[in-house]
Amino acid sequence: MAWANSYVCARSIMDALANTTATTLAVGDANKKIALYNTSFAQLIDDNPWSYSATNEVTGTAWPAGGVALSLTATGISVVAGYGIMFDAVDVSVASTTLATGIYGCVIYDSNLSPKQGIAAVYFGATGYTTSNGTFGITWDVNGIFRVQLHP
């Protein structure tokens, strides 16, 4: 399946609310990772479990298989007054990367669970990004990686 949009993994939210998984999005959680993918991202949104897969993952110098840590040092899940909840993280910046295959998006997942449960897939758009001994960065939106509206 080719990338088309970003989404939150419905099964992960359901499992968290049903208390059938031990994932957390709290500040200080060190178990979240970001893996990069090419245009042929194969994960389906309703897969159960929705988990990290190396199929079509993009790796290279300074960006290992399985991805890099997502920093939740000052962010994580929070309440947005009058709206609902927001998940956010520190912007990603990895220097000296060489990523020759076009990157179209990333998956945020919990590396501490078995299977490694997916949380969200973020589509970067129709351009395949590459680096050649440069910095690969992801600047998250000011409204967070995702929001869940709980108020009218």
Side-chain angles (χ1 to χ4, degrees):
M1 167 172 113
W3 280 96
N5 53 34
S6 301
Y7 52 85
V8 176
C9 308
R11 297 299 305 201
S12 298
I13 299 295
M14 188 183 87
D15 289 349
L17 292 173
N19 200 29
T20 59
T21 185
T23 195
T24 177
L25 300 176
V27 172
D29 182 0
N31 297 314
K32 303 304 173 278
K33 286 195 170 186
I34 307 166
L36 303 175
Y37 289 87
N38 67 24
T39 189
S40 298
F41 182 63
Q43 192 73 49
L44 299 175
I45 192 168
D46 294 322
D47 283 0
N48 184 20
W50 196 95
S51 59
Y52 159 79
S53 170
T55 302
N56 298 316
E57 182 180 6
V58 176
T59 63
T61 305
W63 198 288
V68 299
L70 180 67
S71 177
L72 300 177
T73 56
T75 55
I77 199 83
S78 61
V79 172
V80 178
Y83 185 85
I85 58 172
M86 176 178 76
F87 175 64
D88 200 10
V90 176
D91 291 343
V92 177
S93 182
V94 179
S96 304
T97 62
T98 297
L99 300 162
T101 302
I103 299 160
Y104 288 80
C106 70
V107 168
I108 299 168
Y109 71 95
D110 191 320
S111 64
N112 197 43
L113 298 177
S114 182
K116 295 173 169 60
Q117 187 167 29
I119 297 164
V122 180
Y123 177 57
F124 297 158
T127 301
Y129 296 97
T130 61
T131 61
S132 179
N133 195 26
T135 299
F136 187 83
I138 303 170
T139 303
W140 304 117
D141 189 273
V142 296
N143 290 313
I145 297 171
F146 68 81
R147 286 181 172 211
V148 177
Q149 186 173 356
L150 301 172
H151 301 282

